[in-house]
């Protein structure tokens, strides 16, 4: 599917996504996979759907705001050291570029994200 055209709509909760394994050096437990579908760009903001299956993996974050559509996870912040977040449907989270995180996905997590366009 291509970018979302003006006046068009999509059900982000059922949008088919193509998963790929995470890099081995990022996986701490399980066999998590991720998928992304870019919906487009609006005023310099990239918008898309991202999903991760159960497992635990580390990440270095980009500037992002996201809203969880489905699933459950815990996000631990290793740098900077911040309290962990439990996220589920309806959670809205702001991440900053360079943050080091560990994601423990308990139930496949799907989110809509907004990031500065590159």
């Amino acid at each position: 599917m291509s970018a979302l055209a003006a006046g068009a709509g999509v059900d982000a909760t059922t949008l088919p996504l193509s998963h790929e394994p995470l890099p081995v050096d990022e996986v701490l437990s399980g066999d998590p996979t991720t998928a992304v579908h870019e919906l487009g760009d609006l005023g310099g903001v990239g918008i898309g759907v991202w999903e991760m299956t159960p497992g635990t993996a580390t990440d270095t974050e980009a500037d992002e705001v996201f809203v969880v559509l489905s699933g459950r996870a815990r996000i631990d912040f290793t740098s900077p050291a911040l309290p962990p977040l439990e996220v589920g449907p309806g959670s809205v989270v702001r991440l900053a570029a360079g943050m080091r995180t560990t994601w423990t996905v308990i139930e496949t997590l799907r989110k809509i994200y907004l990031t500065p366009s590159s």
Side-chain angles (χ1 to χ4, degrees):
M1 176 184 254
S2 60
L4 193 60
V10 64
D11 184 343
T13 62
T14 61
L15 182 69
L17 300 174
S18 180
H19 279 253
E20 300 203 6
L22 286 166
V24 175
D25 61 331
E26 294 178 9
V27 176
L28 300 178
S29 69
D31 266 331
T33 62
T34 60
V36 66
H37 182 90
E38 295 179 6
L39 295 173
D41 183 87
L42 178 65
V45 176
I47 304 165
V49 177
W50 178 89
E51 186 172 81
M52 181 174 160
T53 60
T56 303
T58 61
D59 196 17
T60 300
E61 301 299 337
D63 279 326
E64 175 182 352
V65 171
F66 68 83
V67 179
V68 176
L69 298 173
S70 60
R72 299 216 172 273
R74 175 184 165 121
I75 306 167
D76 289 289
F77 296 90
T78 54
S79 179
L82 297 169
L85 287 177
E86 301 282 338
V87 297
S91 295
V92 179
V93 177
R94 167 74 166 89
L95 300 171
M99 287 180 144
R100 295 285 305 148
T101 56
T102 300
W103 292 69
T104 302
V105 174
I106 295 121
E107 177 185 322
T108 298
L109 188 78
R110 184 175 282 215
K111 66 182 185 177
I112 295 277
Y113 66 83
L114 297 104
T115 60
S117 297
S118 46

